[in-house]
């Protein structure tokens, strides 16, 4: 166990034995230290508050700088995430296009598909078959081998021929005359 060194046995100035003790001097010393120490304590509290406010301001400044730094980093991260999502969508669309093109390439190696396309696009027929073409109301061949018209054409009403007008006048002459006005 460590012991503390004791103070010297000779009393120095201000120590108990060398001074005469008076009750008045001691009470005044206590009063004076009490009076002096109260404003000093208040000043120390006020100065510690001032230091705390300065520290708090520095802390707030550091927190604000970090918040701005992280906000810009977060904004950049969110922008990059949206770009990644857009690119992933484009990749999925392009993969679907590639799959459809591969399927079309496989169909071009099928003789039955080639034959059906030749019949539809070019109107080709096999030897021994009889081909027909449907002509529309405008005199053009209907495309894609369709065999029906989209709208049936109604006959156009024409002016009667000269002999139909002559026959109508003969029928009217043989009828009962109507009273004229």
């Amino acid at each position: 166990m460590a012991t503390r060194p004791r103070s010297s046995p000779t009393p120095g100035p201000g120590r108990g034995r060398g001074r005469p003790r008076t009750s008045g001097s001691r009470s005044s010393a206590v009063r004076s230290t009490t009076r002096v120490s109260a404003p000093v304590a208040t000043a120390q509290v006020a100065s510690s508050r001032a230091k705390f406010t300065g520290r708090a301001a520095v802390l707030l400044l550091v927190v604000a700088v970090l918040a701005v730094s992280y906000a810009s980093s977060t904004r950049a991260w969110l922008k990059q995430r949206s770009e990644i999502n857009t690119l992933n969508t484009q990749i999925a669309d392009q993969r679907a296009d590639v799959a459809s093109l591969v399927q079309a390439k496989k169909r071009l190696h099928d003789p039955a598909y080639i034959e059906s396309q030749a019949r539809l696009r070019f109107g080709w027929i096999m030897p021994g078959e009889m081909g027909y073409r449907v002509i529309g109301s405008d005199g053009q061949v209907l495309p894609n081998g369709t065999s029906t018209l989209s709208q049936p054409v109604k006959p156009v009403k024409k002016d009667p021929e000269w002999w139909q007008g002559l026959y109508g006048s003969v029928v009217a002459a043989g009828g009962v005359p109507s009273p004229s006005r």
Side-chain angles (χ1 to χ4, degrees), residues 62-83:
V62 168
V63 168
V65 168
L66 288 175
V68 169
S69 172
Y70 287 143
S72 64
S73 298
T74 303
R75 184 180 58 214
W77 179 78
L78 290 173
K79 183 179 177 184
Q80 289 172 356
R81 288 305 306 167
S82 68
E83 289 176 3

Side-chain angles (χ1 to χ4, degrees), residues 49-126:
R49 285 184 185 166
K51 287 180 184 177
F52 179 72
T53 305
R55 287 181 185 170
V58 169
L59 179 64
L60 285 175
L61 179 66
V62 168
V63 168
V65 168
L66 288 175
V68 169
S69 172
Y70 287 143
S72 64
S73 298
T74 303
R75 184 180 58 214
W77 179 78
L78 290 173
K79 183 179 177 184
Q80 289 172 356
R81 288 305 306 167
S82 68
E83 289 176 3
I84 288 171
N85 290 338
T86 303
L87 292 175
N88 284 338
T89 304
Q90 288 177 356
I91 289 171
D93 291 343
Q94 290 174 352
R95 284 185 179 164
D97 291 343
V98 168
S100 67
L101 291 173
V102 167
Q103 186 67 24
K105 182 180 175 183
K106 287 180 183 177
R107 280 191 305 222
L108 290 175
H109 293 294
D110 183 19
Y113 178 76
I114 293 173
E115 181 181 335
S116 69
Q117 290 299 310
R119 288 177 183 269
L120 285 174
R121 292 182 184 180
F122 306 122
W124 291 2
I125 57 172
M126 295 297 285

